[in-house]
Amino acid sequence: MLTTLKTTYTDTCAADLAWALGREPLPALAVLDLELTGVKLQLRLLGASHQVLLEDEQGDCSETVACMPGSSTPLPLGVSKRVGDWEYEFAARVENLSRGSFAGRAQELLALVADHPHGLAGMFPGSPYAFTAMLAQKHEGQVRWRTWHAYPEEGQLVVTRTRIGARMSTVL
């Protein structure tokens, strides 16, 4: 699903993004509710980036990547931790692109997500390549999502990927 977000576009920068687990739902500009084989997943586009809410019989989890005033947890390159009965893995990277490469990559990503049944992309008014996009799937008992946060003024694209699944039991 592709939507134009009804908010004022204010370009921030990739360095302003922070990461958090367990935050309460924040006000969203666009929401996509998904049911992925027994898992409820809500993809949420915020004025300041994204939030994912996951719920199943084992519990719930929320991931927020956004410009959060007062946050002391910057966007990490990687996180691996236990969340309830799940193993959670998060990774992020920043792509620095030339103006022409940025436009091409933006068009490619928006086309990928726009018509995908588990995709949500929001374009910010004021810049043709300012967007946040999200794509989710469930594969082999794990829920995965990828996100892209575009900062056209800087030529930066922040790419994240998350995997969450049942904790693996260890046999001794």
Side-chain angles (χ1 to χ4, degrees):
M1 178 172 91
L2 179 62
T3 186
T4 298
L5 301 173
K6 298 195 180 0
T7 187
T8 304
Y9 173 65
T10 305
D11 192 27
T12 59
C13 65
D16 290 341
L17 287 176
W19 167 87
L21 279 178
R23 289 188 80 119
E24 292 297 317
L26 297 171
L29 299 173
V31 173
L32 179 63
D33 289 307
L34 301 171
E35 177 77 32
L36 302 175
T37 319
V39 176
K40 291 180 183 177
L41 195 67
Q42 187 177 75
L43 305 180
R44 302 168 58 82
L45 297 178
L46 312 176
S49 283
H50 88 259
Q51 188 172 51
V52 176
L53 306 177
L54 180 144
E55 180 185 332
D56 78 356
E57 70 275 354
Q58 296 178 8
D60 56 27
C61 177
S62 76
E63 172 190 278
T64 306
V65 172
C67 301
M68 296 178 275
S71 176
S72 60
T73 307
L75 190 64
L77 294 177
V79 174
S80 181
K81 65 188 308 177
R82 290 182 176 177
V83 177
D85 290 333
W86 295 311
E87 293 289 340
Y88 170 91
E89 291 181 3
F90 172 86
R93 73 176 192 278
V94 177
E95 295 179 7
N96 292 294
L97 304 165
S98 68
R99 188 174 296 282
S101 294
F102 190 93
R105 182 88 164 111
Q107 289 172 350
E108 173 187 280
L109 290 169
L110 290 170
L112 170 72
V113 175
D115 294 326
H116 195 286
H118 300 150
L120 175 63
M123 300 187 63
F124 291 91
S127 177
Y129 302 119
F131 68 91
T132 298
M134 309 170 73
L135 191 59
Q137 68 176 7
K138 186 170 183 188
H139 181 69
E140 296 179 356
Q142 298 178 340
V143 178
R144 302 171 186 208
W145 58 88
R146 297 171 57 195
T147 72
W148 299 270
H149 305 262
Y151 299 95
E153 297 299 318
E154 294 188 341
Q156 291 185 321
L157 185 67
V158 177
V159 180
T160 75
R161 68 171 173 74
T162 301
R163 180 197 64 81
I164 190 167
R167 190 178 293 173
M168 300 296 188
S169 60
T170 306
V171 179
L172 298 176

